[in-house]
Amino acid sequence: MKYCKDFIVVKNETITPTLYILRLQYPETLPEIKPGQFVEILVEGEKDVFLRRPISIHDVDKENNQIALLVQVVGKGTSQLSKLKEGDKLNLIFPLGNGFTVMGKRVLLVGGGCGAAPLLYLLRVLKQQNIKSDILIGCKDINHLFSKKEYQELSNLHVTTEDGSFGEKGFVTAHPILNEDFDVIYCCGPTPMMKAISQYAKQRNIPCYVSLEHKMACGIGVCLCCVAETNQGNKRTCVTGPIFLTSDLKDF
Amino acid sequence: MNTSKQLEVQIKDMVLKNPVMTASGTFGYGYDFEDFINLDSLGGIVVKATTIKERMGNPYPRMAETPSGMLNTVGLQNKGVDYFCDNIYQKIKDKNTNVVVNVSGSTLEEYVEVASKINTLENIPAIELNVSCPNVKEGGMAFGTNKDMTFKVVSAVRKAYDKTLIVKLSPNVTNIVEIAKAAEDAGADSLSMINTLLGMAVDSEKRQPLLSTITGGLSGAAVKPVALRCVWQVAKQTKLPIIGIGGIMNAQDAIEFILVGATAIEVGTANFINPSITEEIVKGMEDYLQRHNIKHISEIRGVI
Ligand SMILES: Cc1cc2nc3c(=O)[nH]c(=O)nc-3n(C[C@H](O)[C@H](O)[C@H](O)COP(=O)(O)OP(=O)(O)OC[C@H]3O[C@@H](n4cnc5c(N)ncnc54)[C@H](O)[C@@H]3O)c2cc1C
Ligand code: FES
């Protein structure tokens, strides 16, 4: 079941001048949400934004019926979202997409930049199911590392920064944690990073899930604009995805 | 819901409880919207374009947002008419609304073949002949931008299809009235207009087009003035009932189309922004009639 409802902004936290975490209150009991699912946001007050904007669900607080979204400002829609204040209303269609398949005994999560958004809620669910996890985050510098405390509480956090200001200096693909054994890899981030991790997973014969951020018009499966090329033909990223097993994707 | 029939309209033999329908390609097969609205509250739904064989559609990227609108180049991706008849039809045939199938093809024979197959489905009261898709290499718009081709394809389908035949027209022509008349002469029962306007979008930083096929079809609020003009011109010069399409975002927009001569309307891109917009438009049209003390929607049809 999908819903189209108003949320209320409880908090808009600035991480960097282009990165925000929006905490939103749902006025009713939240429906079941799977990690990796996303919402379609109606951006109001910006006449140049015509369509909704898809954003991953960063975190879910079931007890308080709140969700968190991580927004990176890249254009007019996300810029408008970054200006939201406590008490503002936000209309969302949710929850959308397939979500991650939670499996394995020991798993690795790899996230890059703001693309790592869906991994926090995934960690929560993994923990609930007693699945051991490691999370490897690649970011520009220490200032761009968000939700660090939560990652540390829920998992073993490993970090690479481009400038070495935290963790290892360099890219995620060179981190020693990759030498350990995992049953599954979940990877979200820039496409080149996801491709590199997918390549690594393929060599080691580990199933690898990625989240694709294709351009969407409807987000609910009716326009067919968001397709990804899979071994079974063109599939809608907003319904069959956004989470795909890389061995199913033509491009990976 | 209102039961006074003040919004009831008729397109040949197809009776619509209200003029609000959905545009092909923006509403899936209807059931995707059941979380948001009651399909039975709509006059009709037009399901995705159906072709004789399965089509993969065009490569990604297929969409670009533009001022007050969007461009798409989906390219008629669908599983083919047999899959529709064997699988999808079962799921939608008992809805208490008119389910119209949008029929497309690359050749005249393909249009006829699809139409004949749909003709056997008892609960499909009408087809919408898509002679105006701008996103396929063969067929599609090529039929709907030439009056002789329009006449030929509509005549051929007319022979194979005996229920309500709607022809969907392209705005990408010099003289839409000429094409409309060709469809009328060939035996169409109704005309729906407009399909998307051919357009393009460019990324100046990357110095690249934004769509995989370079050009695509423009829809959304931006196209409403063009659509109103087309409906108005054609309504004045043909006798056929017209279904107005193009940039309808709310009830006022829908009423504007009725005022220039449309009998019914189709809501397209607006479904992406507000998935319950169709029900809201029905309600808004009822309110309009009440506010202006109008007994039946037909009283204001074509007054401009
Ligand atoms: C399933 C899914 C989940 C997503 N999750 C998140 C998230 O958690 N946090 C987040 O900040 N963003 C996320 N995105 C990306 C986000 O939707 C886009 O950044 C946003 O739509 C851009 O809107 P805008 O109006 O700010 O940019 P626009 O003004 O429309 O465009 C500005 C620039 O952004 C680029 N852009 C536009 N849409 C996308 C897109 N879908 N993906 C990548 N680049 C785009 C454009 O090419 C352009 O260069 C997600 C996208 C998808 C499909
Ligand atoms: S965005 Fe419309 S089908 Fe995926």
Side-chain angles (χ1 to χ4, degrees), chain A residues 106-110 134 136 172-187 191-210 246-247 252:
Chain A
R106 186 181 180 210
V107 304
L108 176 67
L109 284 64
V110 185
D134 282 83
L136 171 60
V172 288
T173 40
H175 198 279
I177 186 73
L178 293 179
N179 297 324
E180 295 182 25
D181 288 330
F182 296 99
D183 303 325
V184 193
I185 295 179
Y186 301 99
C187 181
T191 308
M193 186 197 100
M194 293 197 290
K195 285 192 175 167
I197 294 293
S198 162
Q199 224 36 55
Y200 154 84
K202 202 174 273 173
Q203 280 159 14
R204 299 188 142 224
N205 237 337
I206 309 171
C208 177
Y209 288 93
V210 291
T246 54
S247 53
F252 275 77

Side-chain angles (χ1 to χ4, degrees), chain B residues 40-227:
Chain B
D40 295 355
S41 68
L42 303 182
I45 63 178
V46 184
V47 302
K48 250 179 4 214
T50 304
T51 52
I52 191 73
K53 289 203 194 81
E54 176 168 9
R55 289 184 65 115
M56 295 311 286
N58 293 328
Y60 178 85
R62 293 179 172 182
M63 192 280 288
E65 192 185 50
T66 56
S68 301
M70 59 172 273
L71 288 160
N72 87 78
T73 179
V74 172
L76 304 178
Q77 181 178 339
N78 78 103
K79 288 193 149 63
V81 67
D82 290 334
Y83 184 87
F84 176 83
C85 294
D86 298 342
N87 298 282
I88 297 163
Y89 177 62
Q90 294 305 320
K91 291 203 224 172
I92 49 179
K93 71 180 178 46
D94 297 321
K95 300 284 173 223
N96 183 18
T97 187
N98 294 292
V99 179
V100 177
V101 177
N102 183 281
V103 168
S104 203
S106 310
T107 62
L108 191 140
E109 292 72 27
E110 283 181 19
Y111 278 103
V112 172
E113 220 176 315
V114 177
S116 322
K117 291 194 180 206
I118 303 291
N119 201 30
T120 63
L121 305 178
E122 203 182 336
N123 293 0
I124 303 290
I127 58 171
E128 179 177 69
L129 207 62
N130 185 355
V131 292
S132 42
C133 177
N135 297 328
V136 285
K137 281 209 196 80
E138 287 149 18
M141 198 169 82
F143 284 97
T145 50
N146 174 304
K147 70 176 185 337
D148 299 329
M149 295 272 275
T150 303
F151 183 85
K152 267 191 207 153
V153 70
V154 176
S155 305
V157 171
R158 180 73 287 177
K159 289 195 195 87
Y161 188 77
D162 37 52
K163 290 183 268 181
T164 301
L165 172 59
I166 304 161
V167 178
K168 186 168 185 176
L169 301 185
S170 170
N172 305 308
V173 294
T174 317
N175 183 353
I176 194 166
V177 173
E178 193 181 85
I179 310 284
K181 283 189 167 162
E184 184 175 33
D185 292 344
D189 296 316
S190 167
L191 303 169
S192 62
M193 66 190 74
I194 54 174
N195 205 321
T196 54
L197 276 152
L198 193 62
M200 75 184 276
V202 172
D203 183 330
S204 58
E205 292 300 316
K206 293 191 185 139
R207 301 179 194 168
Q208 277 172 1
L210 282 161
L211 298 176
S212 67
T213 52
I214 304 175
T215 63
L218 180 65
S219 66
V223 311
K224 190 183 74 169
V226 178

Side-chain angles (χ1 to χ4, degrees), chain A residues 95-131:
Chain A
L96 302 173
N98 59 348
F100 290 106
T101 305
V102 176
M103 58 193 243
K105 290 199 178 75
R106 186 181 180 210
V107 304
L108 176 67
L109 284 64
V110 185
C114 133
L119 297 181
L120 176 57
Y121 183 44
L122 175 61
L123 282 183
R124 262 188 223 293
V125 173
L126 288 166
K127 175 116 185 177
Q128 274 160 19
Q129 305 197 7
N130 291 318
I131 296 171

Side-chain angles (χ1 to χ4, degrees), chain A residues 2 51-53 215 224, chain B residues 35 56 60 62 65 273:
Chain A
K2 301 187 265 295
L51 297 165
R52 285 178 183 258
R53 294 294 188 260
K215 285 213 175 145
L224 305 190
Chain B
D35 287 347
M56 295 311 286
Y60 178 85
R62 293 179 172 182
E65 192 185 50
I273 296 155

Side-chain angles (χ1 to χ4, degrees), chain A residues 147-174:
Chain A
S147 302
K148 174 163 152 260
K149 195 172 113 269
E150 286 85 351
Y151 291 150
Q152 283 170 333
E153 277 166 17
L154 296 163
S155 181
N156 304 311
L157 174 66
H158 313 272
V159 178
T160 62
T161 47
E162 287 170 31
D163 65 353
S165 55
F166 192 82
E168 309 273 324
K169 185 173 167 150
F171 293 110
V172 288
T173 40

Side-chain angles (χ1 to χ4, degrees), chain A residues 40 215-227 236-239, chain B residues 272:
Chain A
E40 277 279 3
K215 285 213 175 145
M216 297 182 175
C218 73
I220 56 175
V222 298
C223 75
L224 305 190
C225 286
C226 64
V227 292
R236 295 165 297 177
T237 302
C238 67
V239 176
Chain B
F272 304 161

